[in-house]
Amino acid sequence: MIVAIDGPAGAGKSSVARRLAHRLGFQFLDTGAMYRAITYAALRRKLGPQDHDTIAEMAQRVSLIMHDDRVLLDGFDVTALIRTSEVATQVFLAADNRRVRERLVQLQREFANSNDTVTEGRDQGTIAFPNAECKIFLTASAEERAGRRHAELKQRGEAISYEDVLAQLNERDRRDSEREYGALRRAADAIDVCTDGLTQDQVITKLEGIVQKRQRELTLV
Ligand code: DC
């Protein structure tokens, strides 16, 4: 079974999806981390927007392994290194590159090929897994999302104001929804869940209920 969770940046997708996967006994895939890892690799090589083809070729060559919450890039653990706001603001280098997207979608399908999976991102229910058995569109207001992300960055010791986080988030929302290929879109058969005012536990319980209902429907057919 594939549970595809899509939604804008900062809606709490990755922590919620990770815990949901754990509860269900499914494996978990954070596809944003894959785009971040390619961006990190590009920045390390001092590549920029003008290096579109070089970044696409690099994405074909690098080894990217998602394993047990860790992200391994050419064998190096980059899990923490891809979480900076520098990577977040430059992530379009990977996300706007059609060939990078095709490569990552291919890796995502291979990952989910043989095990029940909870996957989260922007295009999981639309492009990567259009036949996913359960699709969820997770949202929250921009202010709530910026507040959460700001607290997260502060905890990690990054000095950035709430206003700057909100501005970055709005810019990322714009890019995510205007992207030519793989844009953030709600799949027609996705179930909407708004997390405003809900605790993480409440969101997970809600999602678990949705998945279990779907599992019952599937066994009835
Ligand atoms: O979920 P996140 O903030 O870690 O994602 C980082 C960026 O990667 C996000 O701004 C858009 C991009 N992304 C994407 O284009 N497609 C996905 N399936 C996941 C993320």
Side-chain angles (χ1 to χ4, degrees):
M1 181 176 195
I2 291 177
V3 178
I5 304 179
D6 290 306
K13 289 188 307 295
S14 49
S15 20
V16 160
R18 180 176 284 113
R19 287 183 55 199
L20 175 70
H22 188 74
R23 269 209 208 173
L24 296 166
F26 286 19
Q27 60 174 1
F28 166 64
L29 183 61
D30 173 353
T31 64
M34 302 172 81
Y35 288 92
R36 286 169 180 268
I38 297 299
T39 303
Y40 174 79
L43 294 174
R44 279 288 304 253
R45 290 164 173 78
K46 307 250 179 296
L47 300 172
Q50 70 286 356
D51 302 307
H52 199 260
D53 292 340
T54 315
I55 294 174
E57 278 142 33
M58 180 198 73
Q60 313 299 318
R61 277 197 316 271
V62 291
S63 138
L64 183 59
I65 297 175
M66 311 297 290
H67 182 67
D68 274 353
D69 287 355
R70 313 306 300 173
V71 183
L72 301 181
L73 180 72
D74 284 335
F76 290 101
D77 189 334
V78 295
T79 315
L81 297 169
I82 61 171
R83 295 287 156 201
T84 61
S85 45
E86 191 202 0
V87 170
T89 52
Q90 300 298 310
V91 77
F92 68 89
L93 291 176
D96 287 357
N97 190 311
R98 186 181 180 128
R99 280 163 65 204
V100 171
R101 298 201 72 89
E102 284 168 354
R103 168 78 180 134
L104 294 187
V105 165
Q106 178 196 355
L107 290 177
Q108 290 155 17
R109 290 180 182 156
E110 283 169 17
F111 181 91
N113 195 29
S114 46
N115 287 299
D116 291 332
T117 303
V118 174
T119 177
E120 64 95 351
R122 305 294 189 285
D123 57 350
Q124 297 302 284
T126 50
I127 291 187
F129 302 103
N131 298 322
E133 288 83 356
C134 184
K135 299 181 188 176
I136 291 162
F137 198 71
L138 202 69
T139 57
S141 66
E143 289 70 23
E144 177 132 353
R145 291 184 287 127
R148 289 185 200 149
R149 184 117 318 174
H150 182 237
E152 209 179 287
L153 290 171
K154 219 164 105 182
Q155 208 181 18
R156 255 188 257 129
E158 272 202 57
I160 181 165
S161 70
Y162 166 82
E163 289 70 25
D164 286 348
V165 175
L166 181 63
Q168 280 183 9
L169 200 87
N170 282 330
E171 173 59 13
R172 209 131 67 87
D173 279 357
R174 189 188 63 74
R175 276 187 179 267
D176 282 354
S177 51
E178 289 177 2
R179 177 162 298 128
E180 215 179 300
Y181 177 76
L184 170 65
R185 257 193 314 114
R186 178 192 177 286
D189 50 350
I191 296 170
D192 283 302
V193 175
C194 176
T195 68
D196 274 356
L198 297 182
T199 66
Q200 201 177 78
D201 283 342
Q202 287 171 325
V203 177
I204 292 166
T205 303
K206 200 166 179 155
L207 298 194
E208 196 180 20
I210 293 171
V211 175
Q212 284 168 345
K213 179 163 176 277
R214 201 65 196 106
Q215 282 175 320
R216 282 195 299 274
E217 285 168 1
L218 290 167
T219 53
L220 288 177
V221 187

